[in-house]
Amino acid sequence: MEPQFVRLDTVRAFELAAGVTGRPLFGDGAMLNLIRFEPGATVPLHSHPHEQLGIVLEGMQALVVNGISHELGPLEAYVLPGGVEHSACCGPEGALVLDVFRPVREEYRERWHAEEP
């Protein structure tokens, strides 16, 4: 793979859930996803085999794991092992979150490429 230099705010967004969009950057073994939550948006309970690390950049994201809500503000971060069920919601101002997945979520890559204009 060749080196890439990208402004994430110029990457085409795709919908992850109602009111939640991602701007992905795919590497060989990991990916970034810059996620914008519109005010009050939620991501339903789900799990995936991928390890997920994230950091809240703006606003508040409540990450619900094992039925416990963890409210995270700017520069607060998390690590979720693969297979952990979780959901997320945000506050009334929305949120901007940067997630890292390892390995690459191939279903995201496929959806993102399928939506190319």
Side-chain angles (χ1 to χ4, degrees), residues 65-88:
V65 179
N66 296 325
I68 300 169
S69 180
H70 305 270
E71 291 189 5
L72 304 168
L75 299 182
E76 293 184 305
Y78 52 90
V79 176
L80 295 176
V84 171
E85 282 195 332
H86 57 285
S87 63

Side-chain angles (χ1 to χ4, degrees), residues 35-40 56-62 72 89-97:
I35 301 171
R36 170 68 66 190
F37 285 79
E38 296 301 322
V56 176
L57 301 174
E58 298 173 2
M60 185 282 293
Q61 178 191 39
L72 304 168
C89 61
C90 66
E93 72 282 358
L96 183 64
V97 177

Side-chain angles (χ1 to χ4, degrees), residues 1 36 40 45 55 68 73 76 87 101 111:
M1 176 177 245
R36 170 68 66 190
L45 185 66
I55 183 169
I68 300 169
E76 293 184 305
S87 63
F101 293 98
R111 282 181 46 210

Side-chain angles (χ1 to χ4, degrees), residues 21-67:
T21 57
R23 294 177 186 272
L25 180 62
F26 300 103
D28 283 336
M31 69 172 286
L32 294 176
N33 203 12
L34 185 63
I35 301 171
R36 170 68 66 190
F37 285 79
E38 296 301 322
T42 64
V43 174
L45 185 66
H46 67 286
S47 69
H48 42 74
H50 312 80
E51 179 179 37
Q52 179 177 351
L53 291 80
I55 183 169
V56 176
L57 301 174
E58 298 173 2
M60 185 282 293
Q61 178 191 39
L63 194 60
V64 181
V65 179
N66 296 325

